[in-house]
């Protein structure tokens, strides 16, 4: 099963988007452990919405393009990790450990753990 872990940060607090060297070292160790264990498929941090961001919204069949920053959105996805794990429990454990990296620095964070829909989940049976 593949699960995506996504963490959100407050886009109005630029200091949260500039991690300390200590935090980067701990995050690097976490990602290295996940990689060596074979569960990490991909993981990246994202830039704040004020840097090279855009949003495309479709309402009533009409699309609207908006450049960042997104003033109407306070919390944005700040990064993700895509993991191949046995089950939801294992994904949640990795997610808890990931969230703990932020807790150790006093930063409030929310980590969503979501299962990836595989083609087999939605494709009609043949």
């Amino acid at each position: 099963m593949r699960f995506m872990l996504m963490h959100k940060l407050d886009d109005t607090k630029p200091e949260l988007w500039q991690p300390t060297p200590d935090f980067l070292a701990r995050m690097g160790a976490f990602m290295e452990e996940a990689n060596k264990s074979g569960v990490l498929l991909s993981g990246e941090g994202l830039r704040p919405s004020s840097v090279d961001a855009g949003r495309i919204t479709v309402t009533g069949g009409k699309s609207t393009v908006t450049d960042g920053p997104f003033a109407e959105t306070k919390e944005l996805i700040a990064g993700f990790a895509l993991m191949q794990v046995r089950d939801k429990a294992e994904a949640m454990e990795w997610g808890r450990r990931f969230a703990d990296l932020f807790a150790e620095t006093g930063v409030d964070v929310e980590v969503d753990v979501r299962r990836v829909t595989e083609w087999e989940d939605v494709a009609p049976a043949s």
Side-chain angles (χ1 to χ4, degrees):
M1 293 179 183
R2 291 185 305 155
F3 280 81
M4 181 166 283
L5 284 59
M6 298 165 282
H7 74 283
K8 302 172 189 174
L9 292 177
D10 186 337
D11 202 41
T12 64
K13 296 181 178 178
E15 68 276 9
L16 297 180
W17 297 80
Q18 300 166 347
T20 66
D22 178 59
F23 179 82
L24 289 175
R26 286 187 286 112
M27 179 63 74
F30 173 84
M31 297 301 272
E32 183 176 339
E33 180 185 352
N35 188 42
K36 284 182 178 178
S37 74
V39 301
L40 183 65
L41 300 175
S42 178
E44 305 290 338
L46 302 174
R47 306 288 293 156
S49 73
S50 60
V51 181
D52 296 327
R55 178 176 286 157
I56 302 152
T57 306
V58 177
T59 306
K62 180 180 188 242
S63 65
T64 305
V65 176
T66 307
D67 285 329
F70 308 133
E72 70 281 0
T73 305
K74 185 176 176 184
E75 289 188 343
L76 292 176
I77 296 172
F80 70 92
L82 182 61
M83 297 187 160
Q84 179 83 39
V85 295
R86 290 182 304 274
D87 53 28
K88 179 183 172 190
E90 184 180 4
M92 292 299 289
E93 176 60 21
W94 281 104
R96 183 197 57 76
R97 292 181 56 209
F98 184 76
D100 286 348
L101 294 171
F102 292 89
E104 293 168 5
T105 65
V107 172
D108 293 338
V109 70
E110 181 175 88
V111 176
D112 287 351
V113 178
R114 306 271 307 275
R115 185 169 174 198
V116 174
T117 299
E118 304 292 350
W119 179 249
E120 298 79 30
D121 297 332
V122 296
S126 44

